[in-house]
Amino acid sequence: MKHRKQIRGLSAACLLAVPLTLSGCSLFGSESAAVDPPPAQAEAQMLQVSDGGTPDSGVFAPAALDGTDLTAGVSTDAAAPAAAGERTTVFLEDGHGLLAPVSVSLPKGDAAAMLKDSLTALVSKGAYASALPEGFTGVLPAGTEVKNVSVDKAKLAVVEFNSKFNDYEAADERKILEAITWTLTGQDGIQGVQLWVDGKKLTEMPLKGTPLDRPLSRTIGINLPKHGPLLMNSSAVTVYFSAAASDGSYQYYVPVTRFVPAGQDTVKAALKELIAGPDPDNGLEMVMTQDTVLDSVEAGQNGVVTVSLKDDMFADGQGVPAEMLESVVLTVAQNSEDAMVQIRLNGQKKVTGTDNVDYGQPVSAPEYVNALPL
């Protein structure tokens, strides 16, 4: 992890996107080391939450389907056509063993085909592996096939895999559930996920027995800490830190779920976790300086959340690292039903990032996180 003061030289201008094509199934390289599992108590509780918890804010862009209503019962043989190269977001494992959103461009297809393709992109050494960014890989076992995806009027996505889905390492069980759930619930009109294998509904995962007796949602969290507080008096927030490519050529954002004392304001608690910084051994970087202070968080009548920060390093509100400001916007949006955000820094109403955006004016989370023009 880079020293906190190095944030001055960081920029969020470099983001990820790749076209997915059926150009071959080349090997992706060695598998990343698995992140230690979260505390069992945390895992059990989060998997049982059906409402509340970390909100599914829609920060990550849904596949644009020209007005297609995904809640109308999409199946593999009935859906409206979609434009070629339509962009969507999938959750892939990075070189640190963490799941990160990556914007990809799917081949031409209808709504159901795009949902299937988004999950196919998660298959290790699968049809799209050679088109993924270097350093990223899917977490589904090699040979996994997405046999069907349907979405009902209750916004539940039912996914059927072939039996190869069961051929995963036990240590990856939680990560697989997170990748599938966060990929699908990032699509417009999907709030829950149910898994089937070869015509049979899964009531628990095959190896470690993670319960699947109710639909999965983003309340399960993502990239949970290795060690967390007792959950009896805790709640979950999700914050966005930064990570760098192995060669340092670009930065990207990684969501991390943290546990905070229950009863706190969700947005304030999330921003305090952002300022506190990432765990020292997971490859993530500080997005704030060691002197950043959260002064206030206010929600206006127009729905815009105003975040007031203090940091003497940026006294004039100019040249503030876009990485820092974008992380604030992403974190607030994730924990406030995708609200727009405006930032005040040291009382300054004009806060200009290194990307030349004035974050003192209301801005929304990017439609595509970790995306580059194709």
Side-chain angles (χ1 to χ4, degrees):
M1 183 181 71
K2 297 180 181 178
H3 193 279
R4 294 180 181 185
K5 289 294 184 180
Q6 289 182 321
I7 190 172
R8 281 181 125 173
L10 298 178
S11 170
C14 295
L15 302 171
L16 300 174
V18 290
L20 291 187
T21 59
L22 292 172
S23 58
C25 303
S26 63
L27 298 181
F28 194 81
S30 60
E31 297 290 333
S32 301
V35 174
D36 292 344
Q41 194 173 14
E43 183 171 358
Q45 178 164 328
M46 295 191 79
L47 286 167
Q48 293 302 315
V49 176
S50 58
D51 295 296
T54 304
D56 179 5
S57 67
V59 167
F60 306 106
L65 300 176
D66 297 330
T68 301
D69 182 4
L70 287 179
T71 68
V74 174
S75 66
T76 55
D77 57 1
E86 197 67 67
R87 204 178 267 179
T88 191
T89 299
V90 299
F91 282 77
L92 303 173
E93 184 177 37
D94 70 2
H96 305 294
L98 298 171
L99 292 175
V102 177
S103 177
V104 296
S105 185
L106 298 173
K108 182 178 180 179
D110 61 24
M114 292 186 70
L115 291 178
K116 289 181 65 176
D117 283 344
S118 69
L119 293 179
T120 300
L122 306 184
V123 177
S124 174
K125 303 174 185 177
Y128 298 142
S130 63
L132 300 180
E134 184 177 356
F136 287 84
T137 186
V139 297
L140 298 185
T144 299
E145 295 179 8
V146 185
K147 300 176 69 174
N148 188 57
V149 181
S150 62
V151 184
D152 65 21
K153 292 182 179 180
K155 300 184 179 181
L156 174 68
V158 178
V159 183
E160 183 178 2
F161 297 106
N162 68 343
S163 61
K164 286 290 185 179
F165 174 79
N166 298 333
D167 296 342
Y168 60 88
E169 298 293 330
D172 293 333
E173 185 165 290
R174 170 93 193 187
K175 189 180 298 183
I176 287 170
L177 293 177
E178 291 176 8
I180 294 170
T181 301
W182 281 68
T183 293
L184 287 179
T185 55
Q187 309 300 319
D188 209 11
I190 298 179
Q191 294 183 353
V193 179
Q194 187 179 90
L195 304 182
W196 290 57
V197 173
D198 279 349
K200 295 182 179 180
K201 178 183 174 182
L202 291 183
T203 58
E204 64 179 22
M205 287 292 281
L207 298 187
K208 296 180 69 176
T210 301
L212 301 175
D213 55 334
R214 64 187 66 190
L216 295 165
S217 71
R218 289 194 174 188
T219 58
I220 68 173
I222 189 168
N223 295 322
L224 270 64
K226 299 176 183 179
H227 308 287
L230 294 177
L231 291 190
M232 183 174 297
N233 295 305
S234 299
S235 58
V237 296
T238 296
V239 302
Y240 284 81
F241 293 113
S242 175
S246 58
D247 62 0
S249 60
Y250 57 78
Q251 301 285 134
Y252 58 96
Y253 298 103
V254 178
V256 174
T257 296
R258 290 277 181 84
F259 300 113
V260 298
Q264 294 190 33
D265 178 272
T266 302
V267 174
K268 287 183 180 179
L271 289 171
K272 288 178 180 178
E273 290 296 316
L274 186 66
I275 293 171
D279 293 338
D281 58 351
N282 61 6
L284 299 179
E285 300 177 354
M286 292 291 298
V287 293
M288 301 289 187
T289 77
Q290 55 194 354
D291 299 319
T292 306
V293 175
L294 177 64
D295 192 28
S296 65
V297 176
E298 299 178 359
Q301 293 181 348
N302 56 359
V304 176
V305 175
T306 301
V307 176
S308 297
L309 301 169
K310 292 181 179 178
D311 193 327
D312 292 340
M313 183 178 288
F314 311 109
D316 60 359
Q318 303 296 311
V320 184
E323 180 186 43
M324 170 182 175
L325 301 171
E326 281 291 331
S327 292
V328 171
V329 173
L330 286 167
T331 296
V332 172
Q334 180 67 56
N335 294 279
S336 63
E337 298 182 355
D338 214 11
M340 297 186 73
V341 185
Q342 61 185 12
I343 299 174
R344 302 286 182 259
L345 187 57
N346 302 318
Q348 299 287 332
K349 292 186 177 181
K350 184 176 179 62
V351 182
T352 305
T354 52
D355 55 358
N356 295 318
V357 173
D358 182 7
Y359 290 83
Q361 300 296 319
V363 296
S364 60
E367 184 178 7
Y368 298 103
V369 178
N370 297 337
L372 268 177
L374 298 179

